[in-house]
Amino acid sequence: MDLKDLENIEHKIEEREDFSGFKVSPIEVFFPKDEEEVERIVKFAYENSIPIVPWGSGSSLTGAVSCEGCIVIDLSKMNKILEINDVDWYVRVQPGVKLIDLYEAVEAKGLFFPPDPASFFLCTVGGATSEGSGGMRGVKYGPFREWVLALKVVMPNGNIVKLGEPLRKNRAGYDLIHLLVGSEGTLGIITEIWLRLIPLPKKKIFLVISYPESIKKAGEAIIELRKAKILPEFSEYLDADVVKSMNKNLNAQLKETDGGMLMISIEDDQLQDVISIVKEKGEYKVLEGEEAERIYSLRAQAAIAVKTENSGYFYAEDIVVPVSKLPEAIERLNELGKKYGTKFYIISHIGDGNLHPNILGKNKDEVEKLFKEVAKISIDLGGSVSGEHGIGVQKAEMMRVQLFKSNGPLVLDLMMGIKRLFDPKDIMNPGKYVERAYLAGTTAASFKDSSP
Ligand SMILES: Cc1cc2nc3c(=O)[nH]c(=O)nc-3n(C[C@H](O)[C@H](O)[C@H](O)COP(=O)(O)OP(=O)(O)OC[C@H]3O[C@@H](n4cnc5c(N)ncnc54)[C@H](O)[C@@H]3O)c2cc1C
């Protein structure tokens, strides 16, 4: 089999860049229209030991789709919603469906898919499943992991497997579904996804906008919400520099204050409880309807505004800490900012302790040094270097540090054993994530030689 045998599959040679500016220099980009074409491309790559990188929309923030000399499988043409089941409450889709299109389709049937990475207007279901993405409503509904019921996958040797059933309860064997969720394209190519749905919420929802005196006060408000057993739909924070950047680059017309903006979306029966907490932290207002929706969709574009400020390197941090440790994490971030004389442009799913300090700079070494120091804060506080964006190439070294400190030395060996089992020729998105973290600590820098 040679490349000519794949000629009737849509393809082109094209250099690409992902959202964070990582380069993608493939030998060929294929646009399969169905699973059978994916299977043929993968079998060809397997026989010829050519690396493969699956591509959703390239909104990865960690270099997870970067490559040189690989075959890119762009899944954007596999974009059909195959079934919406309004009795068993699931939707079955191809991986290239845009998340925003999925929302619209299920809502038309009175159903709801809650996970909403802020990239929902551009990212694909396959990409978000492979990243195990979180999002703004994650504080109430959790990340993708909690919503994936079953998958079809083309394995690295071209075999096709179906994992699971569209059932919430299913105890048949090891949970391979959730091994694939968050695997960042390193174990196989997802060609079909069954996602759990719930009824579209009917209760009236308000958006409380609070202008706390500082990010520290925002963190305190979140802790008080938790103590009061209040679970918002979402609770998001933008620091003062992000708000300024959104006004400048998106004409957002948001109020500028020194302490930034806290947004808490809440059902009407707990509105007064939220108000009684935020009014102690600074000014506030309550929105509903179109204005609340405008703020929600602006919030989703915050990273786009911040990226526009960038004239060098753009590293989107994604640390998560236990909510109880938020004040300490914020304090240490403030200290780091002062030490390096830098702005962090903090965007945060603050309600679940997930902070995105965005690091911009012209000097790569300095940006990377600061990036590692931020990651270290999360490890020290019993958190994680990535809450939702994943690891890719950017966070592999710090993931290794985290796993060794928090879980012990055997865990990465186990993970590497899984990678070898699925992908013995190491062709599926190689050199990233678990493999990169593993090899960061071995002198035998070869996939095949290095034994756990
Ligand atoms: C403005 C902006 C806001 C964001 N906000 C959030 C947020 O709030 N929460 C969050 O979690 N993330 C967020 N992200 C990160 C990113 O958008 C998500 O991780 C997203 O879900 C990735 O989707 P994608 O389709 O762009 O995938 P890509 O970036 O194309 O791919 C991501 C990974 O999945 C793999 N992959 C893609 N498709 C498949 C497939 N079919 N089978 C196997 N592997 C596959 C790729 O190889 C890669 O490893 C944001 C990004 C941007 C640009």
Side-chain angles (χ1 to χ4, degrees), residues 278-345:
V278 299
K279 75 177 184 203
E280 302 299 323
K281 313 292 172 212
E283 285 179 49
Y284 74 93
K285 64 182 177 187
V286 179
L287 305 176
E288 56 183 306
E290 274 178 25
E291 187 52 10
E293 273 165 34
R294 185 183 87 89
I295 299 290
Y296 171 79
S297 76
L298 271 173
R299 155 61 193 94
Q301 296 169 64
I304 291 178
V306 171
K307 195 190 164 195
T308 316
E309 303 288 334
N310 176 33
S311 58
Y313 295 93
F314 167 61
Y315 276 42
E317 263 290 7
D318 175 37
I319 58 167
V320 61
V321 295
V323 174
S324 58
K325 297 281 173 23
L326 265 175
E328 213 175 322
I330 290 166
E331 194 62 48
R332 286 185 58 178
L333 275 176
N334 284 340
E335 281 164 18
L336 262 189
K338 277 189 205 136
K339 183 174 150 196
Y340 282 80
T342 192
K343 293 177 182 175
F344 273 125
Y345 292 95

Side-chain angles (χ1 to χ4, degrees), residues 54 56-60 75 118-119 124 128 130-131 133-134 184 190 349 388:
S57 78
S59 69
S60 157
L75 293 137
S119 54
T124 64
S130 304
E131 285 290 354
S133 293
E184 303 190 11
I190 297 170
H349 307 301
E388 53 177 26

